Amino acid sequence: MKPVLIIRTGRAPDTISQRHGDFPRWFRLGLRLRETRLHVVDVEHGDSLPDPEDCAGAVITGSASMVTEKLPWSERTAGWIRNAMDSDLPMLGVCYGHQLMSHALGGRVDYLPGGREMGTLRIDLQPEATGDALGSTLPASFHAHATHEQSVLELPPGAVALARSARDPHHLVRYGRHAVSTQFHPEFSAGVMRAYIQRKRDALGREGHSPDALLADVVPTPHATRLLRGFVREHLMVPRALSAA
């Protein structure tokens, strides 16, 4: 059985991972796949990516790096994404992974006008989501956790925005039959979101945000979390027996 890749482009800060775990664990829990079905590839630290034909699918994680830095490992991964699209490989990019997918496929990534977007956001579906395999499973509005400074400012040719926040029109994007990405973090729990806000408390204050107000607004995000399971169901087609209980 081919593995599902977790393409690791970064890691949670130590103060968060020591209490909540790290990216691969969060995605494994959200995807509800057995650990034996997953293969973590740490591209940030030099791991080589397998041939897309040898994979069942790929999830590309978030990172503290910036896509606009065009770091060598990031650009190599962008090239792999282009090859994976040619193979029609199921892919889900999240935050940095979302931006990297758009960059790889011809979109434009840069800093979000108005600065950082952080906390539990209201996400609204666009009309284009109605007939989409994943978008059609979501309510018209739902909550999702986010923390980012850069965003997809221009979509690649042929890509379609399915959902937006008040400030970012590209929070859920469809690129092809089996390729989607989210700016928000479906793998975050409410506890993880609070930990990120606490960690950025000083920076948020300098930027004119109220960390206490952001903390008060953190709520569970079940619809965003279910998107991970929806990706497995709609795109990975993993047999039920190989899913986690």
Side-chain angles (χ1 to χ4, degrees), residues 4-23:
V4 176
L5 299 184
I6 302 292
I7 301 177
R8 183 173 186 161
T9 64
R11 53 206 350 96
D14 289 345
T15 53
I16 294 175
S17 63
Q18 288 167 5
R19 180 171 182 181
H20 298 280
D22 210 338
F23 299 165

Side-chain angles (χ1 to χ4, degrees), residues 171-231:
H171 260 276
L172 176 60
V173 174
R174 167 74 64 184
Y175 304 93
R177 187 170 58 141
H178 294 307
V180 292
S181 68
T182 68
Q183 180 58 67
F184 61 84
H185 282 275
E187 81 282 16
F188 273 21
S189 66
V192 168
M193 186 72 259
R194 291 188 188 98
Y196 270 92
I197 293 170
Q198 291 283 20
R199 183 174 179 273
K200 290 292 186 180
R201 176 178 284 276
D202 291 345
L204 288 165
R206 289 193 299 270
E207 294 166 3
H209 302 288
S210 167
D212 291 335
L214 292 175
L215 287 167
D217 287 342
V218 173
V219 295
T221 59
H223 294 292
T225 300
R226 286 186 204 125
L227 186 142
L228 292 172
R229 190 60 184 158
F231 175 71

